[in-house]
Amino acid sequence: MRWGVPIAAVVVVGAAVGTGPVIAAVQGDPALPERTAQQLLAEVAKNASRAEPPAMSGTVVETASLGLPALPATTGVSSSPFALLSGSHTLKVWYGGDDRVRLALPGQMSETDLISTGHGEAWLWQSGTNTATRYKLDGPAGAHAIPTPSVLPTARTPEDLAGELLKAAGQDTAVGVENGQHVAGRAAYQLVLTPKVATSLVGKVTVALDGETYIPLRVQVYAKGTAEPAFEVGFTQVAFTTPAPENFAFTPPAGAKVEDKTFGAGDGGPGDEVMATAKAGQQAKAGARTHGTGWGTIAELPFSPENLAPSTPSTPSKRLGAGKFGDTDPSKLADSLLKSAKRVSGPWGSGRVIESKLVSALLTDDGRLLIGAVTPEALTEAAGRR
């Protein structure tokens, strides 16, 4: 729910991808030993079952080109979920083991860092406001599955996204392997997932796996009939070595405002955000349902103007993409999208359709949102199913 509409295409794709039948590997530069799709998927599953990520550091760039109209610009760090709709965004990551993690989201004139020191505490540093918040962790950081606060919703790595894309199984996908790929200077295998569903807007999804560690280095989602990815998350630089200890140390600079909070203590910390988000998700799930399966999956849930209202941990909103939007009113961002909507009607009633390269959304006048990586026609047909 926190990610909401901006990555609806990715979420729907993630619920749709299956391992499917294995086709012959596409031959390229034989930089790596040949592996079948089944062998590579087994390696990915093995990595997913590990207790924590391997030691590494790198720079991740996320790029979206969904073909949507221009949105109002947000100020400061690109922290809004709506920022995922267009442009490129950079994330720097460090994993040091022993609960030492650092994520940095640079902006034009500022930077936001989330640092887990491995000593029972985590720091959130926002240079734009000169604010440092120290979160006390009751137990190991891994036990809390520390979330990225709403100021870091774009903190997404290829491994995160690939895990969602590969976790589901089905028979509506052809899976192939390409050898000879190079990502961030490393030889890689590339899984190619091709939908077999006529109503899907997705042409293919590629997942590049490091040839040595089998860790996802890049994920690309292509719309049908396009040669360039509409959505991409990938490393531009990566090193699978233990980062220097100073990367996980933090001392607030002189003059910074320092706050202390406890995870899940009801004082506005990230634990409270998790509980508020979970509650909002449960409320939405209670009235939600799905149509179709695999790549043709369509999600339907209640939707009304109040979904666009701001929310706080104490009063969670049901709105999609709940979080901070810098100095930009989220309703203005939504209005920009709705201006491009097309009026539609049928036996089910009437509403507005928003189209992009990878996702379509139908807002019905009777208070429903139908969304999926499918054609608008598939949405209007689903709207008539009661």
Side-chain angles (χ1 to χ4, degrees):
M1 289 294 293
R2 188 182 73 189
W3 286 86
V5 174
I7 63 163
V10 176
V11 173
V12 173
V13 169
V17 172
T19 57
V22 177
I23 64 175
V26 177
Q27 298 300 316
D29 180 11
L32 297 169
E34 290 190 9
R35 294 287 187 270
T36 67
Q38 289 174 332
Q39 290 173 322
L40 293 175
L41 290 170
E43 293 289 351
V44 173
K46 185 188 302 183
N47 281 338
S49 65
R50 64 180 180 263
E52 62 179 30
M56 64 173 294
S57 61
T59 301
V60 177
V61 175
E62 172 268 310
T63 303
S65 178
L66 301 181
L68 289 166
L71 299 174
T74 56
T75 59
V77 174
S78 56
S79 61
S80 165
F82 281 88
L84 288 171
L85 285 166
S86 62
S88 294
H89 310 278
T90 300
L91 171 71
K92 296 182 179 181
V93 299
W94 296 262
Y95 296 130
D98 299 322
D99 294 323
R100 295 180 300 161
V101 181
R102 180 172 182 170
L103 304 175
L105 186 65
Q108 293 181 347
M109 299 293 292
S110 61
E111 181 168 299
T112 299
D113 288 67
L114 180 65
I115 306 165
S116 175
T117 64
H119 301 294
E121 67 177 12
W123 286 92
L124 177 63
W125 163 243
Q126 297 170 273
S127 68
T129 58
N130 199 27
T131 301
T133 305
R134 177 169 50 198
Y135 296 104
K136 180 181 178 182
L137 307 176
D138 183 14
H144 296 287
I146 298 177
T148 55
S150 56
V151 292
L152 279 173
T154 51
R156 199 73 164 170
T157 67
E159 188 170 14
D160 294 334
L161 183 54
E164 294 182 6
L165 292 170
L166 296 171
K167 68 183 177 182
Q171 295 300 316
D172 58 358
T173 308
V175 182
V177 180
E178 294 177 346
N179 201 339
Q181 302 293 314
H182 287 82
V183 178
R186 297 182 65 88
Y189 296 101
Q190 184 158 273
L191 289 168
V192 182
L193 314 171
T194 306
K196 300 178 180 179
V197 179
T199 58
S200 174
L201 295 176
V202 180
K204 67 177 180 179
V205 173
T206 64
V207 180
L209 304 175
D210 182 70
E212 181 180 348
T213 66
Y214 300 101
I215 290 174
L217 298 178
R218 183 183 65 200
V219 177
Q220 297 173 311
V221 184
Y222 292 79
K224 282 185 176 178
T226 62
E228 299 294 330
F231 189 88
E232 175 178 358
V233 177
F235 283 100
T236 57
Q237 179 275 326
V238 65
F240 292 100
T241 56
T242 303
E246 53 263 30
N247 287 299
F248 309 104
F250 179 76
T251 300
K257 178 183 178 181
V258 180
E259 301 177 329
D260 284 286
K261 296 184 179 181
T262 301
F263 189 93
D267 55 4
D272 304 324
E273 181 181 338
V274 169
M275 290 184 285
T277 301
K279 183 177 179 180
Q282 291 170 354
Q283 292 171 340
K285 185 177 180 180
R289 62 172 180 161
T290 59
H291 305 271
T293 60
W295 296 94
T297 301
I298 297 171
E300 177 182 337
L301 62 156
F303 187 87
S304 66
E306 70 177 16
N307 297 132
L308 297 175
S311 65
T312 64
S314 59
T315 58
S317 168
K318 299 178 184 178
R319 72 177 173 85
L320 299 177
K324 296 181 181 179
F325 292 82
D327 294 331
T328 304
D329 185 344
S331 63
K332 292 181 180 179
L333 294 168
D335 286 343
S336 293
L337 290 175
L338 292 176
K339 286 179 181 178
S340 67
K342 180 173 62 178
R343 293 293 304 183
V344 293
S345 62
W348 48 271
S350 59
R352 290 172 288 180
V353 166
I354 300 173
E355 301 179 54
S356 76
K357 294 178 182 178
L358 283 180
V359 65
S360 299
L362 170 62
L363 301 172
T364 68
D365 293 339
D366 60 5
R368 293 179 291 157
L369 169 65
L370 291 90
I371 190 166
V374 297
T375 62
E377 292 75 17
L379 294 182
T380 56
E381 180 183 350
R385 302 170 195 161
R386 297 288 187 173

